[in-house]
Amino acid sequence: MPTERAEPAPAPSGTAPPTDFEVAELLRDAAGMLLGRTSPIAERALVRLREEVSYYGSGALAPTDVAESVHRGIEAGVRSFADPAHRRDSGIFAWETGRRRAAEDAPLLPLVQAYRAGVAELWDAMIAAVAAQQPHRLPLMAHCANQYWRQIDRDLTLMVESYRVVANASGSEDARRFLPVLRVLLRGHVDPVDLSSAAIGLDVPARGRFVVACVRKEVVRGELDTRQEVDGIVIYNCPKRQGGTTVIAYLGERSPADVADVLAATHPGVGIGISAVVEGLSELARAREWADLALRAATDDAEIVTLPERLGTALLLARPDLAALCAATVLGPVLELEASDRTALLDTLQAWLDCRGSAAQAGKRLYCHPNTVLNRLRRLERLTDRYLDAPRDLADLVSALDACRLVRPD
């Protein structure tokens, strides 16, 4: 709700109203009393905007950095009023906030409402500070309201203008319509009502077969439609703030391999990780984590990997501490060798595994005799006290080799 402004009180009979200089001086002094004491004000402002603005009261919808933003905004506001040298600070904060929220596809109206809730709390704090420290000047604070809110109006104008500049340059109406919903789903913790609304907005069922893909390449808005339908697969492209692109695909009756084919065509030569299939919109956040693990399990920058193909590696990636322990425990004596010996043994094991246990094929790959391959493998068995013809030992060696590549890329 917009906050009502205080109207200046009439001057007591026979008393002249304060001059503009006196008003500015009182505002400066009131704000100065709050320097270094903004954290409690920001916490109260955060509670206030969550209560007054439903968008920011929703754990699913509100930006993840809203608390940090409120603290920075209150600090900028106090500096701006307390020190003429920092008069522009609140305007700079407002401009940057408008740009950032537009880039995140956050709606404008809740942003304006939240900003007003924050500055209203700051105004209340300034009044309280004067009442506590200089009560004789408290009646004059009513005369400061117009000057205070004129500066707030300036800052709001800056915020709205910067928001519109970014929004108008940010691509299609589909992007502004779909991306906020997609980002909420990918963050998880969505209640059933929000899921139902999301399904209607995205025109997909709340329960159905979905996969999520992480693409190394960032999709520039306008390069690909936010929403596509290819061979019966509904695809949403969601640029990631830290780089790259997250793709949500509703499969229907299609398979993850079909999604891989579509993405290979739209992102040629780019590394892609694809999650296992999940059964509804409520599981997209988990699928995003799986897709990220699949991408990290790729052996080169242009490989397309589905999670089921690399489950073992994904498990190690999910727990790097256990991956390091596995490598050290199983391959410790090998890792202590000179670099050339260590590399020869590990590369030989990898080649032997890749060649399905064929020493002859591994020898061709390594440009050495099959007997050399066998000798290296026997040496590795002696060092590790694990044997390639024992299934559990072999499983340990495979996991340790993968872990070694992850934690010791040299």
Side-chain angles (χ1 to χ4, degrees), residues 53 219 277:
V53 187
V219 173
V277 176

Side-chain angles (χ1 to χ4, degrees), residues 228-269:
Q228 301 171 284
E229 190 162 348
V230 183
D231 296 333
I233 303 172
V234 179
I235 291 176
Y236 287 94
N237 295 295
C238 183
K240 296 164 68 175
R241 296 187 182 111
Q242 67 272 31
T245 301
T246 302
V247 175
I248 298 172
Y250 170 59
L251 297 177
E253 299 301 319
R254 307 302 292 272
S255 71
D258 296 324
V259 174
D261 291 340
V262 171
L263 296 180
T266 54
H267 304 279

Side-chain angles (χ1 to χ4, degrees), residues 59-79:
L61 297 174
T64 56
D65 66 341
V66 64
E68 177 189 353
S69 182
V70 170
H71 278 267
R72 289 193 294 108
I74 294 296
E75 289 175 2
V78 169
R79 287 196 308 270

